[in-house]
Amino acid sequence: MGVTLTDSAAKHVANFLQKRGKGIGLRLGVRTSGCSGMAYKLEFVDEVNEDDLIFETSGVKVVVDAKSLPYLEGMELDFAREGLNEGFKFNNPNVKDQCGCGESFNV
């Protein structure tokens, strides 16, 4: 099943990587944080680690470390613009609860 990107998210990541001038794709993971226990972490990837898994959508690679995958399995990453705000939206079927501000979650 893995992790997928919507067309909007894939275009945004591809455009940013092109402007950046380097990079393999987007690294997605989780870390312990926030009032609900976990938070997402996003960063651009320049090299793949030995325990990484790679998922590709619309030509864009999403790199996930093996420890984060159980929390992200089946997730779809979207990118949306709403008025003056824009950002990634995490559509994660594993989330059981999240904090009121939406910054952290638990499974």
Side-chain angles (χ1 to χ4, degrees), residues 39-95:
Y40 297 108
K41 59 180 181 177
L42 287 172
E43 61 188 12
F44 291 97
V45 179
D46 293 325
E47 60 183 61
V48 177
N49 299 324
E50 191 174 301
D51 69 335
D52 287 338
L53 297 139
I54 301 172
F55 305 97
E56 191 168 332
T57 304
S58 301
V60 175
K61 291 181 173 81
V62 178
V63 179
V64 179
D65 65 272
K67 290 181 182 177
S68 294
L69 186 60
Y71 305 104
L72 302 174
E73 184 72 40
M75 189 178 94
E76 177 186 67
L77 184 62
D78 190 14
F79 185 82
R81 289 191 174 105
E82 296 173 1
L84 297 175
N85 298 318
E86 65 180 18
F88 287 106
K89 291 190 174 191
F90 304 90
N91 301 317
N92 188 342
N94 304 302
V95 171

